[in-house]
Structure formats: structure tokens, C-alpha cells
Amino acid sequence: MKKILVLEDETSIRSFVVINLSRAGYEVIEAGTGAEAFEQLRLHPDIKVAILDIMLPDTDGFEVCRKIRTADPHIGIIMLTARTQEMDKVTGLMTGADDYVTKPFSPAELTARIDALFRRTGAAGSQETGEIIQGPFRLNTRNRTLEKDGSRIKLTQVEYSIMKMFMDNPAKALSREDILNTVWGRDYFGELKIADVNIRRLRIKIEDDPTNPTYITTVWGFGYKWGL
């Protein structure tokens, strides 16, 4: 059974999420504080997706996200927040989250986001064999790793998928819709800016100067292009 961590300090909301995810066939591990979440992750290393509330009694979800992502680049992370400010969404993604869901939300929406995330994190099970080498970059499609000038760059599953999409389509302008459909799936009904923020995060990791990118360039009014 697929295992999920739900970090939410409000008992009523956590119970609502747990009941609906259990009905959807997931095994749910609960936590009400950041400390409890880290302990549950230690006890259950097979957790594949974590749902994190932002407002917590002992810390905030951004810090929990940052620490989880540092420890495990492959786990899927969804931020759960009652706020609607753009900065909260961007901050969550920049600290390593893959997606966000804003309260109030429907069980169907949350389950669809989780299903899409499990498909991406589970893609490592159907491994390809080989490498894509372009300029200073070597993308190993068997173990899903990236090196630049021989040095390993830690990528999340989403970042790996974006990087592979670019390297499979050198010099081709890709729209935000193309990226969203390929990486998040055609049934994903989130916002286009999630692609923008993840590409911003990827640029920080791979560009010599992220403020003046030379590998992932912007095609204004359309999307992005990979070129060397």
C-alpha cells in the first residue's frame, strides 16, 4: 500500500484528510508537529509523499519542507495552506515542494494531486538505460541523476523530469502547457506558474549565473528553450 505522511496540527482537518486518503487506498501516517513528522519519517522510510501544513505549533511547513528535501530529493511534497497569497505558494515551491493545495479543498482535488505525484515518484521503477550528454551535462536515465562537469547535482523527481524533457528537445521552444502536461500530466489542473517556479529552482542548481541563464532561456510570452 502506498504510504503518505500528513502533517497537520488541526485535528479536524487532519482527520478529514486521513479518512478520505484511506478510502482512496493510501496508508496514512499522521503528525501534528514538525518534530512528530521527522520522527515518523525516521520510523517509516518508505513514505513516498508528504503533505505539509504551513502553520504549525513548533515550526512552519517551509522549514519542514526544506529539511525533508535536503534529506531526500526523491520524496514527493505537497504544501497545504489556508493562505492564498502568491508569496506563500512561491516560497513553498522554492523550499522544495512539488505542488500546493489551498484550503478549502475537495477530497477529489487532493487525491488527484497525490495520484499525479505518485506517478512521478514511481517512475523510477520503470527505468530507462543510457545517458544523455550535452555540453557539460550528463543525465543518467537509469539512476535518474545529473552531473555538470563531473559533479553531481541533486534533483527532485520533478526537476529531473523537467531536465530530461529539455535535454530530449534541444533548441526547441516548449510552452508552459507542454511542460505542465509532460511533467505533471494532462489531468493536472493546477496553475501554470508551478512550472515557472520549478524552472527557477532548477536554474539555481544548473546555471553559472541564474540571473542571466544560458542553458534554460525564456521564450517571452510562450515558455522556455534548452540550448548550449
Side-chain angles (χ1 to χ4, degrees), residues 23 42 44 109 134 181:
R23 287 174 178 169
R42 186 186 68 81
H44 301 274
E109 178 188 4
Q134 293 173 10
N181 289 337

Side-chain angles (χ1 to χ4, degrees), residues 192-203:
L192 284 175
K193 66 174 165 289
I194 194 170
D196 297 323
V197 179
N198 274 278
I199 287 172
R200 187 190 312 175
R201 200 170 67 192
L202 185 57
R203 279 171 166 168

Side-chain angles (χ1 to χ4, degrees), residues 29-89:
I29 308 300
E30 301 180 51
T33 66
E36 288 178 9
F38 293 127
E39 177 63 12
Q40 293 290 13
L41 286 166
R42 186 186 68 81
L43 295 173
H44 301 274
D46 55 340
I47 289 173
K48 299 299 183 185
V49 169
I51 301 172
L52 310 178
D53 188 32
I54 288 181
M55 302 299 292
L56 298 168
D58 60 336
T59 183
D60 66 63
F62 299 135
E63 183 62 20
V64 175
C65 177
R66 188 179 295 108
K67 289 181 178 179
I68 291 175
R69 179 59 72 215
T70 298
D72 186 351
H74 302 299
I75 191 171
I77 300 176
I78 297 175
M79 303 301 295
L80 191 63
T81 175
R83 308 180 198 176
T84 57
Q85 289 91 339
E86 292 300 305
M87 187 53 63
D88 288 330
K89 298 174 181 179

